[in-house]
Amino acid sequence: MATDIKETARAVEAAAVMGLLPGRPRLLALGEPTHGEEALLDLRNGLFRQLVEQEGYRTIALETDCLMGLVVDDHVTSGSGTLDEVMERGINHGWGGFEGNRELVRWMRAYNDGRPASEQLRFAGADGPLEITGAASPRQALTALHDFLSARVDPDLLPCTAETLDRLLGSDARWTEPAAMTDPAESVGRSPEAGELRLIADDLTALLEERTPHLLATASPDDRDRAHLYGRTATGLLRYHYWMADTSPARMTRLVSVRDHMMAANLLAVADRGPALVFAHNSRLQREKSSMRMSGKPLQWWSAGALVSARLGERYAFLPTALGTIRHRGVDTPPPDTLEGLLHALPEDRCVIDAPRLATALGGTRPTPRESPWFGYAPFDPAHLSHSDGLVFVKDVR
């Protein structure tokens, strides 16, 4: 068995990854089982550089706010803002402070310097403007979409004026109230104003589609792409706020489903621009249903990766990452009967495994699922092995 596993292992390089796939995928999804470990960010950065230089990839998408990500994209393409400002404003969850993310943005800016726009690298946030504690106001997305259309279409076609939009939105603090995450009564998502805004957002996005021939002639591709981003973000945020105000047993399932649907829509838009690498948690990118327990109740929903895979087929490839140890988090040597334990016996510190071939080598012997003593690390589910295109393994995260 050890010999069979060793034969499936290769260095984590672009050529080895592409060798596992039937062709160059439109979206290559690299998963991580925990956030914030610099060793994984370093591995991601190295792979992305090779994909750029050897395979023609031009975009990377991270599991961060899609609207804030525009700040990063502006910096890497035009040099606007300082690196410190961009990392503070452009990547949420506090991840702008990770050195691996700073190095990624720094390298992308240096790569783009002096290159024509058609050859430049692009950055995208894949997630919605959401945090564990709540959701953003739809103001930025709605007003930006309204401004875009106001400058290019007959004002009589717009569903409302900018003043009406501002009045209906009201104070942003109403939308971002942290208590609404646990108490539906604190949410404004089902207020009369929110209901009107959902209709307005729908009308604005429909108008954006209806005027496509005119907008092709009057707006740049980047401006059109951003307008569509504003449209799907506004409608997604208003849908999310609607379900925050729900009191039924379906509330949390709907919230996590809406979030992954927003991420899937962003990833499909990224894929439309050309081959891209997306980096997010394994659970957000997997093809299987996602599950978790919240307040003692089980939740199940389809992840962003499952939704994108259903649309793109073989043009979507998924490589989750499994880890051996994270000793500074109390995650020690994995038990030998787990998948991580089998891989930990390999001589390589980092490798990419032919996952379907490994599943065949294991036959009917399914490794024992690993349990983590630290809540921030989710071990790889061996039942997902045959549905992954490859598996990246890092022996020791230091």
Side-chain angles (χ1 to χ4, degrees):
M1 179 66 69
T3 301
D4 290 338
I5 295 176
K6 188 173 182 178
E7 289 175 353
T8 71
R10 301 287 185 274
V12 186
E13 297 175 347
V17 169
M18 292 299 162
L20 300 175
L21 309 173
R24 185 178 68 171
R26 200 74 170 177
L27 272 182
L28 176 59
L30 176 64
E32 59 173 353
T34 183
H35 293 308
E37 294 297 338
E38 294 289 356
L40 303 186
L41 303 185
D42 178 68
L43 182 149
R44 174 205 66 193
N45 291 351
L47 180 60
F48 181 57
R49 291 188 193 104
Q50 291 185 0
L51 290 169
V52 168
E53 294 164 355
Q54 301 171 22
E55 300 293 336
Y57 278 63
R58 287 291 176 268
T59 301
I60 189 167
L62 304 188
E63 189 181 350
T64 60
D65 183 334
C66 56
L67 297 184
M68 292 173 70
L70 297 176
V71 173
V72 183
D73 191 53
D74 285 342
H75 175 74
V76 299
T77 55
S78 68
S80 63
T82 67
L83 182 61
D84 286 343
E85 293 169 344
V86 168
M87 300 312 293
E88 174 70 22
R89 295 176 52 224
I91 297 180
N92 65 331
H93 310 311
W95 296 347
F98 296 149
E99 182 55 35
N101 287 336
R102 289 178 63 88
E103 178 55 32
L104 171 69
V105 174
R106 185 186 298 116
W107 178 78
M108 292 176 70
R109 176 62 204 138
Y111 181 95
N112 284 345
D113 192 25
R115 294 180 187 266
S118 60
E119 296 178 10
Q120 288 191 343
L121 306 182
R122 304 298 298 268
F123 179 94
D127 204 0
L130 306 168
E131 295 284 357
I132 298 297
T133 54
S137 164
R139 176 181 300 278
Q140 179 184 355
L142 270 176
T143 55
L145 177 58
H146 190 278
D147 289 347
F148 173 86
L149 289 169
S150 296
R152 294 168 176 85
V153 304
D154 188 324
D156 291 338
L157 297 175
L158 296 170
C160 70
T161 63
E163 291 74 22
T164 298
L165 192 60
D166 184 63
R167 175 180 59 81
L168 291 171
L169 285 164
S171 167
D172 285 347
R174 299 167 61 230
W175 299 94
T176 58
E177 169 56 56
M181 198 66 234
T182 53
D183 184 0
E186 295 292 331
S187 172
V188 298
R190 297 196 178 185
S191 64
E193 294 85 358
E196 284 191 60
L197 288 169
R198 290 189 78 183
L199 293 175
I200 289 170
D202 182 69
D203 277 342
L204 288 173
T205 53
L207 185 60
L208 182 65
E209 295 286 349
E210 294 160 6
R211 297 287 141 172
T212 296
H214 173 66
L215 296 174
L216 286 171
T218 59
S220 70
D222 274 356
D223 286 345
R224 294 196 305 272
D225 284 348
R226 291 193 176 195
H228 285 284
L229 170 63
Y230 296 138
R232 62 179 179 269
T233 303
T235 54
L237 273 175
L238 287 163
R239 187 179 300 119
Y240 193 88
H241 281 288
Y242 176 88
W243 284 102
M244 286 183 75
D246 184 56
T247 58
S248 78
R251 178 177 185 264
M252 289 310 303
T253 299
R254 290 299 297 130
L255 286 176
V256 292
S257 298
V258 169
R259 183 170 193 165
D260 271 76
H261 180 260
M262 290 177 69
M263 183 172 179
N266 287 333
L267 290 178
L268 289 168
V270 166
D272 282 343
R273 294 202 309 216
L277 176 70
V278 53
F279 183 73
H281 198 278
N282 287 340
S283 63
R284 304 296 299 276
L285 300 175
Q286 66 189 33
R287 291 186 171 95
E288 296 81 6
K289 245 182 183 178
S290 295
S291 62
M292 66 184 295
R293 295 188 71 84
M294 185 166 287
S295 301
K297 298 178 181 179
L299 304 180
Q300 284 194 330
W301 72 100
W302 291 108
S303 71
L307 299 176
V308 172
S309 180
R311 288 282 299 274
L312 295 184
E314 288 189 348
R315 293 177 296 162
Y316 178 78
F318 172 46
L319 277 72
T321 297
L323 306 178
T325 71
I326 324 173
R327 298 192 192 280
H328 57 282
R329 299 292 190 183
V331 181
D332 293 321
T333 304
D337 61 343
T338 64
L339 181 64
E340 289 89 347
L342 293 172
L343 298 175
H344 201 261
L346 296 174
E348 294 86 0
D349 290 329
R350 299 176 174 184
C351 60
V352 60
I353 306 292
D354 184 331
R357 186 178 172 189
L358 176 56
T360 300
L362 292 171
T365 305
R366 178 174 293 178
T368 302
R370 187 183 188 184
E371 295 184 5
S372 172
W374 176 48
F375 74 94
Y377 161 57
F380 180 72
D381 185 345
H384 295 174
L385 193 60
S386 61
H387 299 287
S388 303
D389 298 289
L391 177 66
V392 174
F393 183 69
V394 178
K395 181 179 287 189
D396 300 298
V397 176
R398 300 180 178 91

